[in-house]
Amino acid sequence: MKRKLAAILMTSMLLSVFSMGAFAEGDTKSPTASFDEKVTLNDAGEIMPIRRIVLNLEDEDGPYTITRVRLRDMAFALKDTEAKFNVDFDTKEKTIIITTGATYEQIDFDKRKIDLTNANIKPSSHKLLVDGKEVNLGAFNVDGETYCSISSLKKALGKKFYVRNIYETGDTLISFEKNDVEEFNKEAFDAKVKEKKITLVFAGAPWCPWTIFNLEGLIPFQEYIDNNGIDAQIIAMVHDHQDYYKADLLRNYQKKSPNPEKELTDYPFYTVGMTKEAWDHISEIAETELKYLPSIFFMNDEGKLVKYIQGGDLGDEEEEEEEEEPVPYDYIEIYKEIMKELEKAK
């Protein structure tokens, strides 16, 4: 049976299309928009001419906000880069057409001052094609103009740039430069796994709240390993790693450590960026396609899977009471159970 946490983790399906929010039926409160005070910078530190808006929405769970960028502003801002694209609109088919590799020519309409007061806001009903393929950019129509998710646009354009948050200011960086996070290497990973009797592989993403939630037990497990001379280790694999710096990952580890006031200057355990090769490799190890984050593997020194927790599935546990709050995984206890089972199997 799945724990309550597993049910919640299902919302973090990596391969699903994220909902852009639905307005509650009969809701009398109209969505509103305002310009984001934060800016978008390029690698030179220059402000890019991209208008960002904060949408104030509401659904059956209550009010929430999301940020969207004006699609045509993105096309203009990227016109001199390898991620350039053109935007057209097929009036007859009511379809937005994006053509990659084509240069966008800004028109006078793009240069006008936009007033969001009493704007008409709704999820975009237009089909959106990128090089002929239909995509979902989490787009909203605001007074007849398209505002989309910058992360979804990045993926639709082939991940030709990285979208990073500047921690000190909260501004966004559109970067074409690689970061300082080491990338997965299959040979190095396989060799690393063979170094210890048991390896915990934690595959997650910094943008995933349930990845962050379940970081909590990793450093205590590492301390348990160090303090007891345990023949085990942790390997953390970071999805979408190019959108983050090492310092960002360290802050996440620090916040979830037993001593969050103590600054981390290096990884508490081996950490690498997840590539497609990594994705395919650990899916092969699990004998199933990786779909959920976090996904947690316990492997032996032969590179064989000992236990796999996909999206929170702990197997035979009884269903928890509905009102019980989810708790992060206790990797020490899971490890002890694994060792008991291995001992019995001798």
mmCIF file of all heavy atoms in Angstrom, residues 128-145:
data_model
loop_
_atom_site.group_PDB
_atom_site.id
_atom_site.type_symbol
_atom_site.label_atom_id
_atom_site.label_comp_id
_atom_site.label_asym_id
_atom_site.label_seq_id
_atom_site.Cartn_x
_atom_site.Cartn_y
_atom_site.Cartn_z
ATOM 1 N N LEU A 128 -0.916 25.864 -29.997
ATOM 2 C CA LEU A 128 0.423 26.425 -30.113
ATOM 3 C C LEU A 128 1.360 25.379 -30.693
ATOM 4 O O LEU A 128 1.518 24.300 -30.129
ATOM 5 C CB LEU A 128 0.925 26.901 -28.739
ATOM 6 C CG LEU A 128 1.994 27.986 -28.748
ATOM 7 C CD1 LEU A 128 1.971 28.785 -27.457
ATOM 8 C CD2 LEU A 128 3.372 27.392 -28.960
ATOM 9 N N LEU A 129 1.944 25.704 -31.850
ATOM 10 C CA LEU A 129 2.825 24.770 -32.548
ATOM 11 C C LEU A 129 4.266 25.284 -32.538
ATOM 12 O O LEU A 129 4.513 26.463 -32.797
ATOM 13 C CB LEU A 129 2.380 24.587 -33.995
ATOM 14 C CG LEU A 129 0.953 24.095 -34.247
ATOM 15 C CD1 LEU A 129 0.689 24.005 -35.743
ATOM 16 C CD2 LEU A 129 0.721 22.741 -33.584
ATOM 17 N N VAL A 130 5.200 24.401 -32.232
ATOM 18 C CA VAL A 130 6.626 24.702 -32.356
ATOM 19 C C VAL A 130 7.183 23.794 -33.436
ATOM 20 O O VAL A 130 7.221 22.568 -33.273
ATOM 21 C CB VAL A 130 7.379 24.488 -31.033
ATOM 22 C CG1 VAL A 130 8.881 24.706 -31.235
ATOM 23 C CG2 VAL A 130 6.851 25.436 -29.967
ATOM 24 N N ASP A 131 7.556 24.396 -34.555
ATOM 25 C CA ASP A 131 8.035 23.637 -35.718
ATOM 26 C C ASP A 131 7.050 22.531 -36.092
ATOM 27 O O ASP A 131 7.430 21.391 -36.404
ATOM 28 C CB ASP A 131 9.423 23.046 -35.445
ATOM 29 C CG ASP A 131 10.488 24.124 -35.289
ATOM 30 O OD1 ASP A 131 10.287 25.232 -35.818
ATOM 31 O OD2 ASP A 131 11.510 23.855 -34.631
ATOM 32 N N GLY A 132 5.766 22.863 -36.017
ATOM 33 C CA GLY A 132 4.719 21.938 -36.430
ATOM 34 C C GLY A 132 4.230 20.996 -35.357
ATOM 35 O O GLY A 132 3.245 20.282 -35.558
ATOM 36 N N LYS A 133 4.887 20.982 -34.200
ATOM 37 C CA LYS A 133 4.501 20.074 -33.126
ATOM 38 C C LYS A 133 3.734 20.840 -32.050
ATOM 39 O O LYS A 133 4.188 21.873 -31.574
ATOM 40 C CB LYS A 133 5.745 19.417 -32.510
ATOM 41 C CG LYS A 133 5.428 18.458 -31.376
ATOM 42 C CD LYS A 133 6.701 17.859 -30.807
ATOM 43 C CE LYS A 133 6.414 16.906 -29.666
ATOM 44 N NZ LYS A 133 7.659 16.346 -29.081
ATOM 45 N N GLU A 134 2.586 20.316 -31.660
ATOM 46 C CA GLU A 134 1.775 21.001 -30.652
ATOM 47 C C GLU A 134 2.427 20.877 -29.272
ATOM 48 O O GLU A 134 2.882 19.796 -28.870
ATOM 49 C CB GLU A 134 0.357 20.421 -30.614
ATOM 50 C CG GLU A 134 -0.563 21.192 -29.685
ATOM 51 C CD GLU A 134 -2.030 20.798 -29.830
ATOM 52 O OE1 GLU A 134 -2.329 19.912 -30.670
ATOM 53 O OE2 GLU A 134 -2.855 21.376 -29.108
ATOM 54 N N VAL A 135 2.475 21.985 -28.562
ATOM 55 C CA VAL A 135 3.094 22.015 -27.236
ATOM 56 C C VAL A 135 2.175 22.761 -26.272
ATOM 57 O O VAL A 135 1.283 23.496 -26.676
ATOM 58 C CB VAL A 135 4.480 22.703 -27.257
ATOM 59 C CG1 VAL A 135 5.450 21.956 -28.145
ATOM 60 C CG2 VAL A 135 4.350 24.166 -27.690
ATOM 61 N N ASN A 136 2.430 22.557 -24.984
ATOM 62 C CA ASN A 136 1.712 23.265 -23.926
ATOM 63 C C ASN A 136 2.710 24.161 -23.212
ATOM 64 O O ASN A 136 3.654 23.669 -22.594
ATOM 65 C CB ASN A 136 1.090 22.259 -22.953
ATOM 66 C CG ASN A 136 0.239 22.923 -21.886
ATOM 67 O OD1 ASN A 136 0.407 24.106 -21.580
ATOM 68 N ND2 ASN A 136 -0.675 22.168 -21.314
ATOM 69 N N LEU A 137 2.510 25.463 -23.284
ATOM 70 C CA LEU A 137 3.414 26.410 -22.633
ATOM 71 C C LEU A 137 2.789 27.028 -21.387
ATOM 72 O O LEU A 137 3.273 28.038 -20.883
ATOM 73 C CB LEU A 137 3.826 27.517 -23.608
ATOM 74 C CG LEU A 137 4.584 27.082 -24.868
ATOM 75 C CD1 LEU A 137 5.029 28.305 -25.664
ATOM 76 C CD2 LEU A 137 5.784 26.211 -24.507
ATOM 77 N N GLY A 138 1.712 26.412 -20.889
ATOM 78 C CA GLY A 138 1.051 26.987 -19.725
ATOM 79 C C GLY A 138 0.635 28.421 -20.002
ATOM 80 O O GLY A 138 0.741 29.287 -19.133
ATOM 81 N N ALA A 139 0.154 28.671 -21.199
ATOM 82 C CA ALA A 139 -0.067 30.045 -21.665
ATOM 83 C C ALA A 139 -1.387 30.635 -21.189
ATOM 84 O O ALA A 139 -2.390 29.926 -21.039
ATOM 85 C CB ALA A 139 0.008 30.089 -23.188
ATOM 86 N N PHE A 140 -1.361 31.944 -20.969
ATOM 87 C CA PHE A 140 -2.561 32.713 -20.655
ATOM 88 C C PHE A 140 -2.737 33.798 -21.706
ATOM 89 O O PHE A 140 -1.751 34.338 -22.233
ATOM 90 C CB PHE A 140 -2.453 33.343 -19.270
ATOM 91 C CG PHE A 140 -2.852 32.418 -18.159
ATOM 92 C CD1 PHE A 140 -1.989 31.422 -17.724
ATOM 93 C CD2 PHE A 140 -4.100 32.531 -17.555
ATOM 94 C CE1 PHE A 140 -2.361 30.562 -16.702
ATOM 95 C CE2 PHE A 140 -4.476 31.668 -16.543
ATOM 96 C CZ PHE A 140 -3.618 30.681 -16.107
ATOM 97 N N ASN A 141 -3.982 34.092 -21.989
ATOM 98 C CA ASN A 141 -4.322 35.188 -22.881
ATOM 99 C C ASN A 141 -4.678 36.393 -22.019
ATOM 100 O O ASN A 141 -5.620 36.339 -21.219
ATOM 101 C CB ASN A 141 -5.513 34.784 -23.764
ATOM 102 C CG ASN A 141 -5.854 35.839 -24.799
ATOM 103 O OD1 ASN A 141 -6.172 36.967 -24.462
ATOM 104 N ND2 ASN A 141 -5.806 35.445 -26.061
ATOM 105 N N VAL A 142 -3.896 37.446 -22.154
ATOM 106 C CA VAL A 142 -4.113 38.661 -21.369
ATOM 107 C C VAL A 142 -4.375 39.807 -22.345
ATOM 108 O O VAL A 142 -3.471 40.234 -23.067
ATOM 109 C CB VAL A 142 -2.894 38.975 -20.480
ATOM 110 C CG1 VAL A 142 -3.141 40.245 -19.666
ATOM 111 C CG2 VAL A 142 -2.579 37.800 -19.555
ATOM 112 N N ASP A 143 -5.623 40.227 -22.388
ATOM 113 C CA ASP A 143 -6.029 41.269 -23.340
ATOM 114 C C ASP A 143 -5.610 40.926 -24.772
ATOM 115 O O ASP A 143 -5.109 41.770 -25.519
ATOM 116 C CB ASP A 143 -5.456 42.629 -22.930
ATOM 117 C CG ASP A 143 -6.248 43.275 -21.807
ATOM 118 O OD1 ASP A 143 -7.397 42.845 -21.562
ATOM 119 O OD2 ASP A 143 -5.729 44.216 -21.174
ATOM 120 N N GLY A 144 -5.774 39.653 -25.111
ATOM 121 C CA GLY A 144 -5.497 39.236 -26.483
ATOM 122 C C GLY A 144 -4.053 38.873 -26.762
ATOM 123 O O GLY A 144 -3.718 38.470 -27.884
ATOM 124 N N GLU A 145 -3.171 38.979 -25.762
ATOM 125 C CA GLU A 145 -1.763 38.650 -25.961
ATOM 126 C C GLU A 145 -1.387 37.400 -25.184
ATOM 127 O O GLU A 145 -1.976 37.086 -24.140
ATOM 128 C CB GLU A 145 -0.882 39.818 -25.529
ATOM 129 C CG GLU A 145 -1.094 41.074 -26.354
ATOM 130 C CD GLU A 145 0.045 42.040 -26.151
ATOM 131 O OE1 GLU A 145 1.118 41.816 -26.765
ATOM 132 O OE2 GLU A 145 -0.112 42.984 -25.387
#
